[in-house]
Amino acid sequence: MKVLKRAPLENDPVPDLCRACKARHRGICGALDADQLAELSRRSHKQVVEAGKTLLDAEEPTTSYSNILAGVVKLSKMLPDGRQQIVGLQFAPDFVGRPFSPESSLKAEAVTATVLCTFPRNLLERMIEQSSGLEHRLYLQALAELDDARDLLLTLGRKTARERVATFLLMIARHTPKGEELEGEAESEAGFDLPLTRAEIADFLGLTIETVSRQLTKLKSSGVIRVEQNRRIRVPDMELLAAETGD
Amino acid sequence: MKVLKRAPLENDPVPDLCRACKARHRGICGALDADQLAELSRRSHKQVVEAGKTLLDAEEPTTSYSNILAGVVKLSKMLPDGRQQIVGLQFAPDFVGRPFSPESSLKAEAVTATVLCTFPRNLLERMIEQSSGLEHRLYLQALAELDDARDLLLTLGRKTARERVATFLLMIARHTPKGEELEGEAESEAGFDLPLTRAEIADFLGLTIETVSRQLTKLKSSGVIRVEQNRRIRVPDMELLAAETGD
DNA sequence: CGGATCCTTGAACCTAATCAAGAAATGTGG
DNA sequence: CCACATTTCTTGATTAGGTTCAAGGATCCG
């Protein structure tokens, strides 16, 4: 974890740190004016964390929040006996943290190398009080996360293993920005890298690692996907994949 | 669905409708000043809806929002082939509706006879813009719903049938206000009525009706609960039930 | 009292989990 | 760059928890 940039000069209207930032317009910072942005950036730091790094831990008091600038973060819950469930995945420019609660009930962990913009908890909570636009953005993200969580509930409660895996692949495909896609021989073909291991996919879908592997193999045999080097997926026809999701 | 009360006089500081209302302080209305409360109540109506009534339908444009004053509301999603999953249960004084989205992706349905305070969509959205406190309350409720949804994700993804049923019973017990409880012969004993049918419990827990029934029977044989008249549950020792939930 | 709905129980089946082994990919140090 | 260790993934055989199919019993309501 190394700090890449420091705070900008005080009278800089749009801080350097924020200028090329993904969260600057699409994320919560889009709600801030130049002064607020300057203050936030003065006490923020951009950091790159390696895969596996824990950002927030259940039962640990939270001292900071972050915006994701690149990479993928998983939110998970665990039972006392070790059974684990991933309850959410977050991508840029999502906000990571649980405002108005001294501690999180979740563990937040980077699943890939991830770039974060991190700032202290009390600063954000103070800015929320000053800027209703900021709270509005946070509210909208919470509503989006609620929709995601409820979609996943339907998946876990009612879909077959095959449908779950197809649903997951489609979700990742949709989170892969056009242009970052792999180049397909066929023009219409979509391709992407899975950010998660098989074990993580299993924890996300409420399955075992073996079942995930078998279903990927079967989707491959059915011609719905091709799998290259374990993590690289190609989808010749997105409609075909969508038809496997059950919805 | 019958209207019970009409709007109060314009210069009434605290409207009649709101005076004895559960949502007045604990719900979102707690964020409103007397003027705002008067305006909201002028365009609200209190209604009693019977069990089974649909409040909001997926894919239908939303025209109104409600506060729950009494009763239980279920939020559900359905796959094209009819498989169904309940993704949330709401109790008084919860707010029902999805602000900032022209339509809901969920169906909201009364599971018991329910008392609602209903008001038009555009009014609420206008008041949100005026009152940051109102949006703050809505945000807090969304965060609470997100926590609930994620707890349920862990249940659906990783718990056994027995643990799921125990988890559900404990959740209902905790939502049964002290005093509304049934009188136990033993003082320490808790008791409550299940608001849901076996079929609804199954839809909530991602199980079948038969499995729910069997697990209730087994919890009964184990002495963890007693079941009277199908819907009435008694829990001699809450700790014993909590020990069955897996967490 | 009769009909409908809701709930329970049993038997057979099936999907996904578990147990087990080996193959592929990744990373490390020489 | 290769040999080796480690982690990740796949595949097979078996098991088990929950579903499906089927029937009968409670409970509720007019």
Side-chain angles (χ1 to χ4, degrees):
Chain A
M1 189 207 297
K2 58 184 167 178
V3 173
L4 292 185
K5 287 199 177 187
R6 270 275 141 238
L9 295 173
E10 288 238 275
N11 44 8
D12 189 350
V14 175
D16 285 349
L17 182 58
C18 307
R19 197 157 272 146
C21 173
K22 279 202 162 180
R24 168 79 184 89
H25 295 291
R26 293 196 297 133
I28 59 167
C29 295
L32 302 175
D33 62 31
D35 283 353
Q36 293 172 314
L37 204 57
E39 184 181 3
L40 186 61
S41 75
R42 201 179 316 125
R43 300 188 51 199
S44 301
H45 65 277
K46 193 170 162 188
Q47 56 178 340
V48 179
V49 301
E50 71 278 22
K53 163 86 181 176
T54 297
L55 309 181
L56 252 56
D57 213 335
E59 324 304 324
E60 295 285 316
T62 306
T63 60
S64 68
Y65 297 129
S66 299
N67 286 321
I68 303 174
L69 305 190
V72 182
V73 170
K74 69 177 178 189
L75 306 176
S76 64
K77 293 180 79 89
M78 211 166 84
L79 292 173
D81 65 3
R83 281 174 287 175
Q84 206 168 13
Q85 178 64 45
I86 294 178
V87 299
L89 289 175
Q90 302 197 282
F91 303 84
D94 290 347
F95 169 84
V96 182
R98 167 68 208 255
F100 310 120
S101 171
E103 57 184 39
S104 164
S105 65
L106 306 170
K107 181 166 155 184
E109 207 174 339
V111 293
T112 61
T114 297
V115 185
L116 299 169
C117 184
T118 304
F119 36 84
R121 175 174 138 81
N122 53 17
L123 173 62
L124 183 84
E125 295 186 350
R126 188 153 48 73
M127 293 187 81
I128 286 173
E129 286 167 26
Q130 292 160 8
S131 161
S132 67
L134 181 55
E135 184 158 45
H136 183 69
R137 295 266 182 150
L138 287 165
Y139 180 36
L140 292 184
Q141 180 178 323
L143 288 174
E145 286 182 43
L146 195 50
D147 288 343
D148 288 347
R150 285 168 170 168
D151 284 345
L152 188 54
L153 280 171
L154 180 62
T155 298
L156 297 193
R158 292 304 184 204
K159 289 188 184 177
T160 64
R162 183 182 177 114
E163 289 169 338
R164 295 185 202 199
V165 171
T167 301
F168 171 75
L169 292 176
L170 195 64
M171 191 203 79
I172 296 300
R174 289 184 171 154
H175 273 282
T176 303
K178 300 287 166 197
E180 279 188 31
E181 267 178 20
L182 307 172
E183 321 245 313
E185 320 254 348
E187 326 68 43
S188 67
E189 190 176 75
F192 51 88
D193 276 338
L194 292 177
L196 308 194
T197 65
R198 301 289 188 269
E200 287 170 323
I201 297 171
D203 280 346
F204 184 73
L205 295 175
L207 298 170
T208 59
I209 185 173
E210 294 94 332
T211 298
V212 170
S213 181
R214 279 187 247 272
Q215 296 303 329
L216 284 170
T217 302
K218 285 182 185 171
L219 285 171
K220 195 168 57 176
S221 328
S222 308
V224 178
I225 58 172
R226 280 181 294 127
V227 182
E228 298 161 7
Q229 313 160 209
N230 290 343
R231 295 290 197 101
R232 178 147 299 184
I233 304 288
R234 288 186 180 274
V235 185
D237 181 352
M238 220 51 156
E239 291 302 310
L240 226 53
L241 178 58
E244 296 285 346
T245 61
D247 50 22
Chain B
M1 189 208 297
K2 56 184 167 177
V3 174
L4 293 185
K5 285 200 177 185
R6 272 274 144 240
L9 296 173
E10 289 236 275
N11 44 8
D12 188 348
V14 176
D16 285 351
L17 182 59
C18 307
R19 198 158 270 146
C21 174
K22 280 203 163 180
R24 168 79 184 88
H25 296 292
R26 291 197 297 134
I28 58 167
C29 295
L32 301 175
D33 62 31
D35 282 354
Q36 293 172 312
L37 204 58
E39 184 182 3
L40 186 60
S41 74
R42 201 180 315 124
R43 300 188 52 198
S44 302
H45 64 279
K46 193 171 162 187
Q47 55 179 341
V48 179
V49 302
E50 70 278 23
K53 163 85 180 176
T54 296
L55 309 181
L56 251 58
D57 213 335
E59 323 305 324
E60 295 284 316
T62 304
T63 60
S64 67
Y65 297 129
S66 300
N67 286 321
I68 304 174
L69 306 190
V72 182
V73 170
K74 69 178 178 188
L75 306 177
S76 63
K77 294 181 79 88
M78 210 164 86
L79 293 173
D81 66 2
R83 282 174 288 174
Q84 205 168 14
Q85 178 65 44
I86 294 179
V87 298
L89 289 176
Q90 301 195 283
F91 303 85
D94 289 348
F95 169 84
V96 182
R98 167 67 208 253
F100 311 119
S101 171
E103 57 184 38
S104 163
S105 64
L106 307 170
K107 182 165 156 186
E109 204 175 341
V111 292
T112 61
T114 296
V115 185
L116 298 169
C117 184
T118 305
F119 36 85
R121 175 174 136 82
N122 53 16
L123 173 62
L124 183 85
E125 295 186 347
R126 188 152 46 74
M127 293 186 80
I128 287 173
E129 286 167 24
Q130 291 161 6
S131 161
S132 67
L134 180 55
E135 185 159 45
H136 183 67
R137 295 265 181 149
L138 287 166
Y139 180 36
L140 292 184
Q141 180 178 321
L143 289 173
E145 286 182 44
L146 195 50
D147 288 344
D148 288 347
R150 285 168 169 169
D151 283 345
L152 188 53
L153 280 171
L154 180 62
T155 298
L156 297 193
R158 291 303 183 203
K159 289 188 184 178
T160 65
R162 176 185 253 247
E163 290 169 336
R164 295 185 202 201
V165 171
T167 301
F168 171 75
L169 292 176
L170 196 63
M171 191 205 79
I172 296 300
R174 289 183 172 155
H175 272 283
T176 303
K178 299 291 167 194
E180 278 187 34
E181 268 179 18
L182 307 173
E183 321 245 314
E185 319 251 350
E187 326 66 47
S188 67
E189 190 176 74
F192 52 88
D193 276 337
L194 293 176
L196 308 193
T197 66
R198 300 290 187 272
E200 287 171 323
I201 297 172
D203 280 348
F204 184 73
L205 296 176
L207 298 170
T208 59
I209 186 172
E210 294 94 332
T211 299
V212 170
S213 182
R214 280 187 248 271
Q215 296 303 331
L216 284 170
T217 302
K218 285 182 186 172
L219 285 171
K220 194 167 60 175
S221 328
S222 309
V224 177
I225 58 171
R226 280 181 293 129
V227 182
E228 298 161 6
Q229 313 158 207
N230 290 342
R231 294 291 195 102
R232 178 147 298 183
I233 305 288
R234 287 184 179 274
V235 185
D237 181 352
M238 220 53 155
E239 291 303 310
L240 225 53
L241 178 58
E244 296 286 346
T245 61
D247 51 22

